[in-house]
Amino acid sequence: MIKNIILFILFSCAVKSHSQTIQGKVIDEVSGEPIPFVSLMIIGTQTTSITNENGDFVIKAATLPVKLKFSHVSYLSDETEVKNASDNLIIKLKQAAINLAEITVDPYQGKKLLKSAFEKAAKYKDDNHYLKAFYRQLTSVNNNPTKIHEIFYDIKWNVTRTSGWIARQTRFAESKNQSGFDLSNQSYFTFSSSGYLTVPNSGTFVTEKTLDKYTIEIERYIEQADQDIAVVTCTIKKAGKNQFYANSAFYVGTKDLKIYRVENNILNLPMDLAAGAVFKYPPIVKTIATFKSGSTDINILESISTKMYLAVSYMDRMRANDLSAIISSLLTVYQEDNTLQNESFQNVRRDTKDKNVVESIKYNADFWQNNPIVKQTSLEDKFSKMMEGQNAFGTMINP
């Protein structure tokens, strides 16, 4: 059995109170399918949240009743009044209309729109925003969950990336019954991909300077109440066999020129494997970043989801073995807090080890118990409960 495969990416709170916890699920009105990454807020406050990959949400209100607003770039916004926190809400959103009629009018419209959005955002590239966020990373090997990292961060963010972080509360657990596997610094990848003005040190990403390297088209317009949202797809024209690059989709407001969502498919990501291990297929990474709309000229980070798919062959005791791994992470912002601007933030570095960060802070079981911000999918919930039953979280932390 292989002991460990270490991967390195080479490119460049909750407080106990008497508040009311509101929870529920957001689904598509027609299909009944859950809708991930729906933003929600308590109207008249700065309290926000976002649904997880199962469409589940949890949000805390100081008092009841309150009115919640639900927003998603591909759906019509909805508001609902909540009078009783014991209710498990089911929110049904109606898909926004899709307009294809304008797409063929100007074949260069997508490039012009994206260029204008980049130019607008670039004016604010030196403006920092200070956010409180929750990060979870789940590693699954051969379809079995094996490791989980969870970290509450204070972060310093601008339109290019997250540039600084402070870990406030952490925990980590792993199953000892599976093949050893570790992606040592996925948080670096998440932080580096959290903006919409990408400034890569290597590889080819969609930037204002690389637009000519991509075929750029408007795939569709999403009709929202105040403006249409153009879905602009960017496909690289020519990629070398081992070239590291991303194909992307940007969701851009046609009137305000704000970027609301960025989806990346990243191919040929350069990585190192332990001796005796090779990739069966090049790694594939998918990211989805969402940005919260506000009264300012830019949208602020709301969430970023990453999924890395790896297929590895390795020799163990003179036998060839195959290992398939999925490393998924989700960073969700639950509060903007500009009082953090005087804090001392750690720089985002490629050589930061996530597990070392976790082990640097004593595990606080009371903090994590019934914490409403720790929303989980069914897979994460099952694995976390198993680890908690084995007291695995506490034993992995250096006091």
Side-chain angles (χ1 to χ4, degrees):
M1 188 73 73
I2 189 170
K3 297 298 184 186
N4 211 354
I5 298 176
I6 304 292
L7 296 184
F8 225 11
I9 300 171
L10 299 180
F11 92 106
S12 38
C13 118
V15 177
K16 290 185 176 180
S17 69
H18 298 292
S19 55
Q20 303 292 314
T21 299
I22 304 168
Q23 59 186 2
K25 193 180 191 75
V26 182
I27 62 174
D28 184 287
E29 179 185 69
V30 176
S31 69
E33 292 296 315
I35 309 174
F37 314 132
V38 176
S39 61
L40 57 144
M41 67 175 296
I42 298 176
I43 295 176
T45 75
Q46 296 296 315
T47 304
T48 63
S49 187
I50 190 167
T51 63
N52 65 13
E53 291 183 336
N54 284 351
D56 301 316
F57 69 86
V58 179
I59 194 168
K60 294 189 78 171
T63 59
L64 292 177
V66 296
K67 184 169 284 189
L68 297 180
K69 181 177 181 179
F70 296 84
S71 305
H72 188 286
V73 70
S74 297
Y75 289 81
L76 299 181
S77 298
D78 189 36
E79 296 181 6
T80 188
E81 186 175 19
V82 180
K83 298 180 179 180
N84 189 342
S86 64
D87 294 340
N88 198 1
L89 300 176
I90 300 294
I91 305 298
K92 299 179 181 180
L93 295 186
K94 182 177 181 179
Q95 286 194 16
I98 303 300
N99 183 353
L100 302 177
E102 300 180 27
I103 290 179
T104 58
V105 173
D106 182 355
Y108 299 103
Q109 180 61 21
K111 183 176 180 179
K112 293 176 184 176
L113 189 62
L114 193 54
K115 186 174 186 295
S116 296
F118 285 162
E119 290 174 345
K120 181 175 183 176
K123 298 176 183 178
Y124 304 92
K125 62 183 179 62
D126 296 322
D127 293 356
N128 291 316
H129 300 266
Y130 299 88
L131 312 171
K132 291 183 173 293
F134 173 61
Y135 174 82
R136 175 184 291 116
Q137 176 181 320
L138 181 70
T139 300
S140 295
V141 178
N142 296 335
N143 297 318
N144 294 308
T146 60
K147 292 184 191 234
I148 191 166
H149 297 76
E150 295 177 311
I151 305 174
F152 276 83
Y153 282 113
D154 293 342
I155 62 174
K156 181 170 66 174
W157 179 88
N158 58 45
V159 295
T160 60
R161 67 201 292 259
T162 297
S163 61
W165 57 272
I166 303 171
R168 297 299 188 184
Q169 293 287 342
T170 67
R171 68 178 184 175
F172 168 84
E174 66 179 339
S175 171
K176 299 298 184 181
N177 301 321
Q178 302 292 334
S179 300
F181 179 89
D182 190 22
L183 179 62
S184 63
N185 62 339
Q186 179 137 328
S187 66
Y188 168 78
F189 178 80
T190 300
F191 287 150
S192 299
S193 305
S194 65
Y196 40 80
L197 282 185
T198 307
V199 187
N201 291 330
S202 60
T204 302
F205 278 70
V206 181
T207 71
E208 187 177 350
K209 295 181 179 179
T210 64
L211 292 179
D212 289 339
K213 296 182 178 181
Y214 284 84
T215 299
I216 301 175
E217 298 176 334
I218 295 179
E219 180 183 89
R220 63 189 186 277
Y221 290 94
I222 302 169
E223 297 181 357
Q224 292 291 355
D226 51 351
Q227 67 176 337
D228 287 352
I229 304 296
V231 181
V232 184
T233 60
C234 308
T235 306
I236 199 164
K237 294 177 180 177
K238 185 177 181 181
K241 182 178 180 181
N242 297 313
Q243 182 184 355
F244 161 42
Y245 67 95
N247 291 326
S248 305
F250 291 80
Y251 292 64
V252 183
T254 55
K255 291 183 180 179
D256 63 17
L257 299 178
K258 293 182 183 180
I259 296 174
Y260 288 82
R261 180 181 174 109
V262 180
E263 301 171 357
N264 287 313
N265 284 329
I266 303 171
L267 304 174
N268 295 331
L269 186 68
M271 299 178 123
D272 285 342
L273 287 175
V278 296
F279 284 115
K280 292 179 62 181
Y281 313 106
I284 296 176
V285 183
K286 297 179 181 292
T287 74
I288 299 174
T290 64
F291 303 94
K292 181 175 65 175
S293 176
S295 58
T296 61
D297 282 339
I298 63 165
N299 290 338
I300 297 172
L301 178 68
E302 183 175 61
S303 72
I304 175 165
S305 166
T306 69
K307 279 197 174 182
M308 185 173 295
Y309 301 86
L310 303 167
V312 176
S313 293
Y314 63 92
M315 295 298 297
D316 181 32
R317 298 176 185 176
M318 304 304 293
R319 294 180 55 188
N321 294 274
D322 291 337
L323 179 152
S324 295
I326 298 176
I327 305 96
S328 60
S329 69
L330 178 62
L331 180 80
T332 56
V333 173
Y334 62 91
Q335 186 178 343
E336 185 173 2
D337 187 354
N338 287 324
T339 65
L340 299 172
Q341 58 187 301
N342 296 322
E343 298 285 348
S344 297
F345 287 84
Q346 299 284 333
N347 291 329
V348 173
R349 294 169 53 94
R350 193 172 64 204
D351 57 1
T352 298
K353 304 292 196 303
D354 294 330
K355 187 178 175 183
N356 291 349
V357 172
V358 171
E359 291 182 335
S360 69
I361 297 176
K362 185 176 180 179
Y363 173 62
N364 182 345
D366 290 338
F367 174 88
W368 292 92
Q369 186 175 13
N370 299 320
N371 191 312
I373 295 171
V374 185
K375 301 183 292 294
Q376 298 178 315
T377 66
S378 55
L379 178 64
E380 293 161 348
D381 185 56
K382 180 179 180 180
F383 185 63
S384 293
K385 282 184 168 56
M386 182 178 70
M387 293 292 100
E388 288 169 345
Q390 298 173 3
N391 293 320
F393 283 113
T395 59
M396 297 305 298
I397 305 300
N398 293 329

